[in-house]
Each structure stands twice: as structure tokens, then as C-alpha cells.
Amino acid sequence: MPRLRTTLADGLGVPGNFPEAVIDDVLRAASHELDRVHPGSLIGLDAGAVLRSAADTFINGCASRAGQKFPHGLRDACDAVSAQTYEGRASLGSVVLAPQGHPDVACEVTFEHDVPVGVPRSFRKALEMTGPGFELLCDGRTVYGIGRMLEGYAPATEEVFEIKVVGNGAWELWHADTPFLRVDNGEPSLPRDVIDVETFAHAVNRVFPDALSEHVDALWGMTQACVRQQHGTMLVVHPDARREGERLLPQAYTIEPTHLGAHAFDALTKIDGAVLVSPDGKCHAVGVILDGAATGTGDISRGARYNSAIRYLAGRGKGSMVIIVSEDGRVDILPHVARRVRRASVERAVAQLVRAADGTTDYEKFSRLDSRAAALEFYFDAEQCEAVNEARESVEQQRWAEERVRMQVVPIAPHPAMDDSYFISPGAEGPPAPPN
């Protein structure tokens, strides 16, 4: 994994990346539990608190590398400014984390009175002045000007970092061309591609088996254009987009079928509603308001776009695909399509689990095999589900008899969406099985 090489800053040890900071915090918490006079059998860890503490440690270490002594509160400040709006506009912009006077940072405007990062409204107002090639300059505690990082910066020095505010409640920490940390609504995580082309192509080919490679490329280009928008949007791929656009009138603006250019796509997605395209990438309607009945399969934690897409796919939109881009840059592809696997891989996972449950006392080995089987549960038929349920119950009964402790076993059943189309024919090429 990407890692910063500097391990000391201002005489103190600093983690090389976010996972290392997480490991340090977990070990520190475990050591604290072992220091108790009467240690318990369980470690009471709040996973969210550990991640936030580790994010604090890592970003403070980056601020230390950038010359700030005893940094603190920068993560909270970034969380607050990313969630703060300015005259109704979402937070977007970037901050260069570097000491004043750094030779690789050009300061175009210097503030006579520094802006404290701990005052969200002032910090957010200053962020509004940024744009392409024009970033806030921050030393970890205050914003001291506006400028940019010079192209001659040597990444090996690890003295200049960049904080990118990418949407409502979302920001990322970068060094050179490498993202090291992402925070969404206060939840730290590793940065990841919002969507990769292989996963996208697989979804298109599963929903539209007759789609050609050039059609996949066209849809991928439109999806990338959606991701680049500064506001959320939705792309609906319908097998009969022309008729569907007419059906949804007057809840849509139908247009002559055409492949949209970048400027036209940007202009037509500024209004509310989805963009309706056919599997070959031709646009048929914009500003589409989807219909559908409530099915009880939505997600109350998600927004209106996501849940309207769920209702649409359960109704008249069945057989189509919806790409949802949220304002924070999150991308969802509906329906969720499982990858194809080899039937022999599924059979082998079940057989290994059943054998391991036969008179086992090696609970660690069984747990590893059970994790492998759990990743393939979508593909199990009724007989395999029954065998896995019996194996798990048998092991837990044995664990209870030996240790007077057991784990709760939730019986599994065949997935209603599973059919033979999810299996790869012997000798055929296809994507690998899901990871453990």
C-alpha cells in the first residue's frame, strides 16, 4: 500500500499511512485492557472511535511533516468545513498544507489576519475563493493565504500535502499524486476509485447481454461525465429508451436520439431528473422523473435518487440499469449484479466446510473456511444451504460443550435472484470469484 517514508516528525514517531495508524490504535487499546487489574475476556472497542482517532493521528502526523508543531484539530476542522454550505452551495475546493515561505509553494495572496481553521464559517468562506490552480494555503492551524503548489515540488521531501474537499461532508488527504485518506460524513476510510471499468462492464453485460464493447465504452464515458458533475445526477439505461421516454411524458424532455458531447451533457444535466439513454449510449430524454410503487426494499439511510431508482426498477423499469451519482461523489449501480463464478469453486467451498465440521476442534481453521463459504452464499442451492447450516450448527454445539460459549448461527436460504446464468461454463473466461 502507498506509504510515507518519514517516520519521525519533530522528534516524534508518525505513522506512514492510515492503516498503520489504525493498527497502532488497536494495539494501544489492547495494551490498555491488559493493564487492568482484572482483565475481561472481551475488549470493549468502538470501531468508529478507533478509526477517527487513527485519522487524527495520521493527519496530525502529516501536519507535523509540513512543519506544524503540536498539531491538533485539523481533522475536525476538515469535517466541519466540508459539511458547511456557503449561500446554499456545497463545499468544493482544495487546501495546500505547507509551512509559510516553503520554496515549492507560490503564495499569490497573503492574508494580513490569518483565518483559524477551527472556525468553520470563516474557513468555508475562504474556501469559496479557491478554484483551478488557486488553493488555500494552510499551516495546519490557520489559513495564511491563497496560491498553489509549484510543479517542481520533490515528493521525497514529504513536506507539502493537499486536502481536497470533494462534496458535502467528503474530503481527501493527498500527497503528490497519491490519495492517503478519505472521510465521508466523519467516517474515515481508505480512498478508492468510485467505480472501476471492469465492474461497470460486467454489470452492463449482465443486464444487457447483447451490448457490444463500443456500447459499453459509450456508457462508461457518460458515467464518467456524471461523476465529474458538481451535483448529483442519475443515468437510466433502458432497453427501449425511445418508448420509455414517451411513456414518461410530460415528466421528461424527449430529444432526438443522439450521442451527447461533453458540453451538451453538462448543460442537460443541470436540471432535475435523470438522463435516459439506450444501451448503445444514445440519449433519448433528459429531466426524467421516474415513477414506481413503494416495495419495502428501499434504504431509509439513502436519499431520494437512490430510493426512486429502487422503486422504478421494481416496477416499469424492470430490465433496465440505473447509475446514481450522489453529491458526495458516491456511485451506485442498480441492480446489484453478482459476478459469475465457477460451479466447482462453490461446490469445493461447501465440501471443505462440511469436512472441517466433522469432529473438529480447530475452530480457527473452520472460521477461515466459513468466511470463504460466506462470500459465496449467493450461489448456494437449497441442498448446499442445508449442508452449510448443519455444519455451522454442529460446530457451535461442540464449542458450547467444550467451552460453554457459542456464536449465534443465522440459517441461510437460497437467494431468489440466483440462477445458472451466474455460473461460468468450464473453460470459459470470466471474472474471478468474490474475494474472501
Side-chain angles (χ1 to χ4, degrees), residues 78-201:
C78 292
D79 284 347
V81 76
S82 65
Q84 188 89 29
T85 60
Y86 182 78
E87 295 184 352
R89 293 190 291 273
S91 293
L92 291 171
S94 56
V95 180
V96 173
L97 183 61
Q100 295 192 45
H102 193 283
D104 292 323
V105 176
C107 185
E108 306 287 346
V109 177
T110 302
F111 297 150
E112 288 189 350
H113 303 284
D114 295 345
V115 179
V117 297
V119 182
R121 294 182 65 86
S122 298
F123 191 7
R124 174 65 184 89
K125 191 172 183 178
L127 186 68
E128 190 69 16
M129 293 185 282
T130 65
F134 215 50
E135 304 169 293
L136 289 185
L137 306 180
C138 174
D139 61 10
R141 289 192 181 178
T142 62
V143 174
Y144 58 84
I146 304 176
R148 68 187 187 282
M149 185 191 309
L150 299 177
E151 294 183 358
Y153 169 66
T157 63
E158 297 182 352
E159 294 176 348
V160 180
F161 298 83
E162 189 174 15
I163 297 170
K164 299 181 180 181
V165 181
V166 294
N168 283 337
W171 59 275
E172 297 177 345
L173 176 68
W174 288 62
H175 178 255
D177 296 324
T178 304
F180 277 89
L181 175 69
R182 180 180 174 96
V183 179
D184 291 282
N185 299 313
E187 297 183 3
S189 64
L190 287 175
R192 61 187 184 279
D193 292 334
V194 290
I195 183 174
D196 65 89
V197 65
E198 290 184 3
T199 299
F200 179 83

Side-chain angles (χ1 to χ4, degrees), residues 16-101:
N17 55 23
F18 177 54
E20 184 177 321
V22 173
I23 292 170
D24 289 345
D25 270 28
V26 170
L27 293 178
R28 190 178 301 113
S31 297
H32 176 73
E33 292 291 327
L34 291 173
D35 283 341
R36 294 181 183 273
V37 176
H38 301 290
S41 59
L42 298 176
I43 299 178
L45 286 182
D46 181 340
V50 169
L51 292 175
R52 288 188 291 274
S53 173
D56 273 333
T57 302
F58 178 63
I59 194 171
N60 288 342
C62 293
S64 295
R65 292 179 176 92
Q68 181 58 252
K69 294 183 180 296
F70 309 112
H72 63 86
L74 185 55
R75 181 189 63 82
D76 287 336
C78 292
D79 284 347
V81 76
S82 65
Q84 188 89 29
T85 60
Y86 182 78
E87 295 184 352
R89 293 190 291 273
S91 293
L92 291 171
S94 56
V95 180
V96 173
L97 183 61
Q100 295 192 45

Side-chain angles (χ1 to χ4, degrees), residues 3-16 20 60-67 157-159:
R3 188 178 187 279
L4 298 172
R5 294 182 295 177
T6 307
T7 57
L8 287 175
D10 198 24
L12 299 175
V14 288
E20 184 177 321
N60 288 342
C62 293
S64 295
R65 292 179 176 92
T157 63
E158 297 182 352
E159 294 176 348

